[in-house]
Amino acid sequence: MQYGLFEILNLLGALGFFIYGMKVMSEGIQKVAGAKMRNILSSMTSNRFKGVFTGFTITSLVQSSSATTVLVVSFVNAGLLSLTESIGVIMGANIGTTITAWLISIFGFKVKIATYALPIIAFGFPLMFFNRDKLKFWGEVLVGFALLFMGLSLLKDSVPDLNENPEILAFLSNYTDLGFISILLFVGIGTVITVVVQSSSAAMALTLVMANNGWIPFELAAAMVLGENIGTTITANLAALVGNVHAKRAALSHFIFNIFGVIWILVLMKPALNLVDWYLVSNGFASPFTSATGIPVGLSVFHSVFNILNTLFLIWFVKFIAQVVTRTIKSTGEDEFHLEYISTGMMNTAELSIEEARKESVRMGELVQKMSKKFQDLIDEKKQKKQKKLLKKIRDYEVMTDRMEHEISEYLMKVTTSGTLSDSSMQKTTSLFSAINDMERIGDLFFQMSRDVERILKSEKSFRNKQLKNLQKMMILVDEALSIMATNLAITSKSVSLESAVLKENEINKFRNDLRKDLTRDIEKEKYDPQRDGWYKDLFHLCEKVGDHAINVSEAMTGEKERELKEEI
């Protein structure tokens, strides 16, 4: 019992080592890339074919499609990759993982990067003490890379050695004569093994050893390979469980892609294996059906051809797959509070976390724009029932802005206290703090304005036609100011100008002053209703305050100062 517990602890420790190495390397890469990360990923995945090539290259280098797909899910979670871009990368990862089988089959070994881990650390560790940020971050990348593969090596050493413990899997030979049921059984076994060792490449090596030792025939080894294709999707789906809706969709698309491939190849299993056998025999290789030495090359051919054909077929259906997973995993309704991009359970780095928070701030900007539209509808609406619905909607939106501001602020606070932010990232964080605070105030102002309208409706009074038209005109200006604000929130480039925002703010201020003068003239002419016109005055003043907060958001995101621009304009 103690020996079993010790083995489990070794396995968990090795897994922790592996994950920590991945975290250090991932953080380092993102710090090196900084703000360019999105552009780098976009150029690598600008179309589905480039995405496939990217996935193939990364997986060929790291020898683990699971590592690639978990990274892809993390990028989708942060909004750095779109769903359609991620599907192409995942397809390429499936092809890249076949390289392992060829290395084992042809050279008789698996590339052991762990052998060079300590020299890599010896080179990377001193870089971490340099003053230059770039060199320091590259040091983190190298150390993380070495730790990742040291962890992977320890992980493989922690699972039972088949050569020393052949009885562990020897019992499988008792289940090889059940026809198609045996094939399905071994598909399941391949899936379980891949989930346990957390690497389809490692599971493939395990399958080759089993087949080479004569425990299972060629067709069941091929079935295990298919199971490994399903098992490798479990890792990404487990990572996405605590992710946002976009991460879950990316992980599900990986599962759909692989499960579809397994289904069609199972239908054509016999002719596919006979075709592989014919190809090998006609090229001078031993038949995998009759010779155990022919199985490794036979499995390599089967594995590669299966994944390449599956990709060639489904690459034309990337958009369709994206639509299927979007319909399957639906985003929560707009009236229910939720953060789509921020997910505290995901293993994100500080740099990615800022991007997630920025995406949420964009959604918050869209929400206050909706409040603006609803308020415009409210002052135009004549039917009492619809007025009540609009008042409730604005009240609900105000609650949502409060909660969004609280959640995003709390999240940003965790990011700033992580101690891993560069100076430019710290500036971005400060800007986001300021922006979400101003947008929360905009939500409060719209709610306050709706309460004023509610009071006038209950008093059975109504604004004069001229006042109503003035409010409608003011709201059009406010809406335009919010639109400029939303644009500045969505664009990450520092080249965004504040000029249009200042012009709109000046326009709102001038119109507010005109309305104030107009109201003063009405008082002088004794056309003044203290209650009605008091609410009217409150409304156009509150609209002007919305404009002030809108320009504050634009100012925070662009880094420019309103007063400097006002002097120039």
Side-chain angles (χ1 to χ4, degrees):
M1 180 66 187
Q2 282 185 328
Y3 180 73
L5 179 62
F6 187 72
E7 275 193 328
I8 291 167
L9 290 174
N10 269 342
L11 191 65
L12 292 174
L15 189 62
F17 203 142
F18 176 78
I19 291 169
Y20 180 70
M22 185 180 287
K23 184 177 186 294
V24 172
M25 184 180 73
S26 183
E27 283 184 356
I29 289 170
Q30 289 157 51
K31 286 177 189 173
V32 168
K36 296 176 183 174
M37 176 64 80
R38 183 66 182 90
N39 294 334
I40 292 167
L41 288 168
S42 293
S43 62
M44 287 169 68
T45 59
S46 54
N47 64 55
R48 66 192 78 180
F49 298 101
K50 280 187 179 179
V52 170
F53 180 74
T54 301
F56 169 76
T57 306
I58 293 171
T59 307
S60 299
L61 290 173
V62 302
Q63 291 288 289
S64 172
S65 60
S66 295
T68 305
T69 50
V70 167
L71 195 62
V72 167
V73 167
S74 183
F75 284 157
V76 173
N77 190 68
L80 293 173
L81 275 180
S82 70
L83 181 60
T84 49
E85 287 170 344
S86 71
I87 293 171
V89 179
I90 288 166
M91 288 178 173
N94 273 21
I95 300 173
T97 198
T98 66
I99 297 294
T100 304
W102 283 109
L103 288 170
I104 297 168
S105 302
I106 297 170
F107 301 108
F109 66 92
K110 182 171 167 51
V111 176
K112 292 186 182 293
I113 300 176
T115 308
Y116 307 101
L118 289 177
I120 290 169
I121 291 175
F123 182 72
F125 188 67
L127 294 178
M128 295 174 71
F129 295 94
F130 277 65
N131 288 327
R132 283 181 61 190
D133 281 348
K134 281 281 182 185
L135 287 174
K136 192 186 295 183
F137 297 154
W138 273 115
E140 287 183 24
V141 172
L142 291 172
V143 170
F145 182 77
L147 292 177
L148 173 76
F149 283 96
M150 285 176 74
L152 191 61
S153 178
L154 287 169
L155 195 60
K156 285 165 188 169
D157 290 341
S158 299
V159 296
D161 185 355
L162 288 178
N163 293 324
E164 293 178 7
N165 304 280
E167 69 281 356
I168 292 173
L169 293 173
F171 78 94
L172 294 176
S173 58
N174 299 323
Y175 302 94
T176 58
D177 301 321
L178 304 174
F180 191 70
I181 293 174
S182 287
I183 289 175
L184 293 177
L185 176 65
F186 276 78
V187 167
I189 291 169
T191 302
V192 171
I193 290 174
T194 308
V195 171
V196 170
V197 299
Q198 290 289 292
S199 168
S200 59
S201 297
M204 181 68 181
L206 205 59
T207 306
L208 289 168
V209 171
M210 288 172 64
N212 200 49
N213 286 0
W215 292 338
I216 51 172
F218 177 50
E219 59 270 24
L220 295 186
M224 282 187 70
V225 169
L226 296 179
E228 286 152 18
N229 271 268
I230 298 172
T232 194
T233 69
I234 305 297
T235 310
N237 277 280
L238 287 173
L241 281 177
V242 289
N244 58 39
V245 66
H246 306 289
K248 288 183 175 72
R249 286 170 181 169
L252 180 61
S253 68
H254 187 203
F255 178 76
I256 288 173
F257 171 70
N258 282 24
I259 202 78
F260 178 82
V262 169
I263 289 169
W264 74 257
I265 200 68
L266 278 174
V267 174
L268 302 172
M269 191 73 163
K270 274 202 169 182
L273 293 178
N274 288 333
L275 193 63
V276 170
D277 180 54
W278 169 81
Y279 173 77
L280 291 176
V281 172
S282 61
N283 283 278
F285 291 94
S287 169
F289 285 112
T290 57
S291 171
T293 55
I295 292 179
V297 176
L299 281 181
S300 300
V301 172
F302 174 76
H303 193 205
S304 297
V305 171
F306 160 64
N307 279 297
I308 291 168
L309 286 178
N310 202 32
T311 299
L312 287 175
F313 178 68
L314 288 179
I315 198 169
W316 308 105
F317 297 93
V318 167
K319 287 185 178 177
F320 176 73
I321 294 171
Q323 287 171 355
V324 169
V325 296
T326 302
R327 286 173 188 165
T328 305
I329 302 175
K330 294 178 180 177
S331 183
T332 320
E334 65 169 29
D335 294 330
E336 184 180 332
F337 168 76
H338 67 296
L339 296 180
E340 274 198 15
Y341 296 97
I342 287 176
S343 172
T344 53
M346 204 72 177
M347 190 188 72
N348 285 329
T349 65
E351 303 292 328
L352 279 179
S353 298
I354 294 171
E355 180 62 16
E356 290 182 335
R358 191 189 69 79
K359 290 264 184 181
E360 291 295 354
S361 72
V362 172
R363 289 186 62 241
M364 195 172 177
E366 291 168 355
L367 184 58
V368 296
Q369 280 185 291
K370 286 180 183 177
M371 289 186 83
S372 177
K373 297 287 186 189
K374 295 298 179 188
F375 183 76
Q376 288 178 63
D377 292 341
L378 178 63
I379 58 177
D380 292 339
E381 187 56 58
K382 304 298 180 188
K383 294 181 180 178
Q384 191 178 14
K385 191 175 180 181
K386 287 188 177 179
Q387 287 169 346
K388 286 182 179 178
K389 282 185 179 178
L390 288 166
L391 286 165
K392 183 181 182 301
K393 187 74 76 176
I394 292 169
R395 185 167 63 250
D396 291 344
Y397 283 168
E398 193 273 333
V399 172
M400 287 169 69
T401 55
D402 284 350
R403 291 183 64 184
M404 284 187 87
E405 190 266 344
H406 173 74
E407 294 286 344
I408 299 170
S409 293
E410 202 172 65
Y411 185 72
L412 284 171
M413 193 63 73
K414 288 178 184 176
V415 175
T416 52
T417 54
S418 67
T420 57
L421 286 181
S422 60
D423 290 341
S424 63
S425 295
M426 188 61 78
Q427 288 173 0
K428 289 177 190 173
T429 307
T430 304
S431 295
L432 286 172
F433 269 123
S434 176
I436 59 173
N437 180 61
D438 277 299
M439 287 189 286
E440 190 274 333
R441 285 292 300 127
I442 291 172
D444 289 345
L445 289 169
F446 275 124
F447 178 61
Q448 194 176 334
M449 289 157 66
S450 72
R451 294 294 300 273
D452 283 343
V453 173
E454 187 177 17
R455 288 187 189 102
I456 199 167
L457 292 174
K458 285 180 178 177
S459 70
E460 296 184 355
K461 293 185 179 182
S462 60
F463 294 122
R464 289 184 290 157
N465 285 336
K466 183 178 76 170
Q467 291 176 332
L468 199 57
K469 285 178 182 178
N470 286 338
L471 286 174
Q472 288 166 340
K473 184 179 177 182
M474 176 62 96
M475 281 308 302
I476 289 169
L477 293 174
V478 168
D479 212 42
E480 288 168 353
L482 291 174
S483 180
I484 294 167
M485 177 201 79
T487 301
N488 288 336
L489 271 171
I491 297 174
T492 54
S493 172
K494 289 183 179 178
S495 62
V496 178
S497 172
L498 197 60
E499 188 175 336
S500 59
V502 173
L503 286 170
K504 191 57 62 180
E505 166 68 359
N506 290 343
E507 204 175 334
I508 291 171
N509 288 344
K510 183 180 180 301
F511 191 54
R512 185 272 319 269
N513 293 338
D514 291 343
L515 294 181
R516 189 188 287 159
K517 288 175 185 175
D518 185 55
L519 189 60
T520 303
R521 284 194 294 268
D522 284 346
I523 293 170
E524 289 169 356
K525 293 176 183 178
E526 297 182 353
K527 295 180 179 178
Y528 185 72
D529 181 315
Q531 197 175 42
R532 179 198 64 197
D533 294 344
W535 286 325
Y536 170 64
K537 183 183 176 183
D538 279 349
L539 285 174
F540 66 70
H541 273 288
L542 289 171
C543 283
E544 189 274 331
K545 284 186 180 179
V546 170
D548 287 344
H549 287 290
I551 198 168
N552 286 348
V553 174
S554 291
E555 188 179 315
M557 299 314 294
T558 56
E560 298 179 40
K561 296 293 180 185
E562 178 190 351
R563 59 178 177 273
E564 293 171 3
L565 279 164
K566 279 184 174 177
E567 290 171 7
E568 295 173 12
I569 294 172

